Amino acid sequence: MTSARRRSYGVKGAPYAFLLPATVLFALFFTLPIGYAVWLSLHKVKVSGLGLGAGARSEVWAGLENYTDSLTDPELLAGALRVLGYGCIVVPVMLGLALLFALMLDSEKVRLAPFTRLAIFLPYAIPGVVAALLWGFLYLPSVSPFFHVLDALSLPQPDLLDGGPLYGALSNIAIWGGTGFNMIVIYTSLRAIPAEVHEAAKLDGATPLQTALRIKIPMVAPSLVLTFFFSIIATLQVFNEPTTLKPLTNSVSTTWSPLMKVYRDAFGTGDIYRAAAEAVIIALATLVLSFGFLRAANRRNRQDARQGGAR
């Protein structure tokens, strides 16, 4: 009886044993760092006297002081506005191109589909820093072959790393690198549409454009929501592109994006407590925006389902 009971406990405990390594890694590399960042954000350094000697600097409780200072910091707010403008360019253009490429590859008349699919996806496999460096040198008039061609044709040479064109230059890097991944996600959903649906559309006399607009795009709506969700998170966390281009232009400051502001405060000025508060604020903003978007998308799907059931 005891042996059977032990075997029963062993069978019931097997799933927890399999989950234990992942749970430990999750706690060590995700939960604990987040908890430590929150703890740091609630503290600050108190300097006594001139700040020299042992015990002149001590860590004290700050409460919400770091959060108040961060939310009223004009540099952080300006970085958030710059990222907002950057995202208004990147997200719609990138997802629009990804959807267009996916629909084109799903067409029956497309040729060399495997090669084309790989060519579109390949930029995503290039590390972001390497891609930013490559595009950065292409933007420099002194080394870019495109500017030599413009010079030979006596055409104006725009400065892509200054002023308004800087947003387009940064957005181009993100679009070039992220379109392929989103295209694969959407294309996979398109390939999962049953063949009977396409045959029914042909029998009804639908053109390829009508099929794409009225059948394919509505059926891959969950994939569009997923890619939009990922794109929003990536936009809020933009860091590689402006940081890599910063040595090439004076238009990119050390606080161009919120994450660059966090990096400067943590490793430039050494105020890890303020940087921790800013990081927590960015994480909460990402969570709120993502949760709000997913909730709105789910509400829309439920409404569509009810309308479809009513019909």
Side-chain angles (χ1 to χ4, degrees), residues 271-286:
D271 191 354
I272 60 174
Y273 307 95
R274 177 76 169 271
E278 293 168 348
V280 172
I281 291 173
I282 295 172
L284 290 176
T286 305

Side-chain angles (χ1 to χ4, degrees), residues 102 180-190 223-224 226-227 230:
F181 171 80
N182 294 308
M183 180 272 296
I184 290 295
V185 174
I186 299 172
Y187 177 74
T188 303
S189 297
L190 287 173
S223 296
L224 295 176
L226 180 65
T227 53
F230 287 156

Side-chain angles (χ1 to χ4, degrees), residues 5-6 22 36 46 62 68 94 97 109 122 130 134 143 155 217 229 245 273 290 292:
R5 185 176 300 174
R6 288 177 179 175
Y36 183 58
K46 180 180 180 182
T68 303
M94 181 170 59
L97 289 176
K109 299 180 180 180
L122 190 59
V130 176
L134 292 174
V143 296
L155 296 175
I217 294 179
F229 176 72
L245 294 183
Y273 307 95
S290 303

Side-chain angles (χ1 to χ4, degrees), residues 230-241:
F230 287 156
S231 300
I232 289 294
I233 294 177
T235 300
L236 294 175
Q237 298 178 349
V238 61
F239 179 80
N240 287 335
E241 293 85 356

Side-chain angles (χ1 to χ4, degrees), residues 126-301:
I126 299 177
V129 175
V130 176
L133 279 175
L134 292 174
W135 281 103
F137 284 111
L138 290 176
Y139 294 151
L140 287 177
S142 58
V143 296
S144 174
F146 301 109
F147 282 90
H148 289 296
V149 174
L150 293 176
D151 184 42
L153 297 176
S154 300
L155 296 175
Q157 303 178 16
D159 188 358
L160 299 177
L161 296 178
D162 186 26
L166 177 64
Y167 285 88
L170 291 170
S171 301
N172 174 67
I173 300 174
I175 293 169
W176 181 78
T179 299
F181 171 80
N182 294 308
M183 180 272 296
I184 290 295
V185 174
I186 299 172
Y187 177 74
T188 303
S189 297
L190 287 173
R191 300 303 296 175
I193 297 177
E196 294 80 4
V197 176
H198 297 282
E199 294 176 358
K202 288 182 180 180
L203 292 176
D204 290 339
T207 64
L209 180 60
Q210 291 173 335
T211 302
L213 295 177
R214 300 181 181 180
I215 297 177
K216 292 184 178 181
I217 294 179
M219 294 190 72
V220 299
S223 296
L224 295 176
V225 171
L226 180 65
T227 53
F228 185 83
F229 176 72
F230 287 156
S231 300
I232 289 294
I233 294 177
T235 300
L236 294 175
Q237 298 178 349
V238 61
F239 179 80
N240 287 335
E241 293 85 356
T243 302
T244 306
L245 294 183
K246 183 182 177 300
L248 305 179
T249 176
N250 294 325
S251 298
V252 179
S253 64
T254 56
T255 60
W256 193 89
S257 72
L259 277 188
M260 292 178 67
K261 175 73 164 54
V262 174
Y263 183 86
R264 192 204 65 175
D265 289 344
F267 302 104
T269 61
D271 191 354
I272 60 174
Y273 307 95
R274 177 76 169 271
E278 293 168 348
V280 172
I281 291 173
I282 295 172
L284 290 176
T286 305
L287 178 63
V288 170
L289 289 175
S290 303
F291 180 77
F293 171 73
L294 289 178
R295 186 171 183 179
N298 291 333
R299 186 184 300 119
R300 177 67 180 273
N301 291 335

